[in-house]
Amino acid sequence: MRLPVQDRRKRQVVTPEGVPLPFTIGARGARALALLIDQVLIVATMAGISYLLFTLARAIDLKANAGGGAVGQTVVVLWIVAMFLFRHIWFLYFELGPRGATPGKRALGLRVAARDGGRLTTEAVVARNILRDIELTLPIIFVTSTLIQGEDATFVAWAGAAWFLIFAFFPCFNRDALRAGTW
């Protein structure tokens, strides 16, 4: 007899103090929606910061009457570094915080936890973020950069889609519905 979905997601861990701690693994759809909410918030925040930064750089360039746009080039380099760091600091800040959840997870009543029921370590959160880049960001960048360059992107699009789908369906093929970054 197969258990109802809700019962199949129930787990219990024993803390180092010997206390049994029951919990329910978040549903796949809820976790995907939480990631989508976080990505929308990250992109919106990055867009706002980018607008302010480039508006400021343009104003400085116009005042300095710099023909070569040295300020603009410097701002672009700083912007690339800042946006990379911002994407990763978002998850570090929220998942290591007292609630153990990003705004997307909080909105859906989810939080991250270690296998023993405790908080994740900094190393675990960093590893999750690096793998998220491999699972999600790299195939998207791979496909979009090929499309922007105007090359024949049929093979690249299929390869990127396959890459993404392998990782997207990973939670469907293990008992705890974990993505590759959480094993």
Side-chain angles (χ1 to χ4, degrees):
M1 179 167 86
R2 200 170 165 118
L3 294 172
V5 174
Q6 187 69 9
D7 289 341
R8 283 185 279 170
R9 293 190 352 233
K10 291 189 183 293
R11 300 288 183 276
Q12 182 172 329
V13 294
V14 179
T15 65
E17 294 82 17
V19 178
L21 180 67
F23 66 95
T24 303
I25 295 174
R28 293 174 187 99
R31 293 182 357 227
L33 183 58
L35 177 62
L36 180 65
I37 291 169
D38 285 329
Q39 294 297 332
V40 167
L41 291 172
I42 288 170
V43 168
T45 305
M46 289 169 66
I49 291 170
S50 299
Y51 176 77
L52 292 174
L53 191 61
F54 287 114
T55 301
L56 178 64
R58 186 166 186 208
I60 291 171
D61 255 359
L62 290 175
K63 280 189 175 183
N65 201 9
V71 172
Q73 292 172 2
T74 304
V75 167
V76 168
V77 170
L78 292 174
W79 175 81
I80 290 170
V81 171
M83 293 301 112
F84 173 80
L85 291 174
F86 180 77
R87 253 188 21 245
H88 292 284
I89 289 172
W90 176 275
F91 291 99
L92 274 171
Y93 176 77
F94 287 112
E95 290 179 351
L96 291 175
R99 294 186 180 181
T102 61
K105 289 181 184 77
R106 231 179 294 149
L108 297 171
L110 302 172
R111 73 175 198 90
V112 295
R115 290 201 177 261
D116 65 359
R119 297 172 56 113
L120 287 180
T121 63
T122 303
E123 294 84 8
V125 175
V126 169
R128 286 167 49 90
N129 289 331
I130 290 171
L131 203 52
R132 184 178 295 113
D133 273 351
I134 293 169
E135 294 169 343
L136 182 65
T137 308
L138 285 179
I140 290 171
I141 290 172
F142 189 56
V143 171
T144 55
S145 66
T146 305
L147 293 172
I148 289 170
Q149 292 175 6
E151 298 175 12
D152 181 24
T154 305
F155 175 74
V156 174
W158 281 108
W163 179 349
F164 172 76
L165 290 173
I166 287 169
F167 286 109
F169 285 111
F170 217 84
C172 297
F173 297 107
N174 63 74
R175 179 177 176 251
D176 290 334
L178 300 175
R179 66 189 241 320
T182 56
W183 274 36

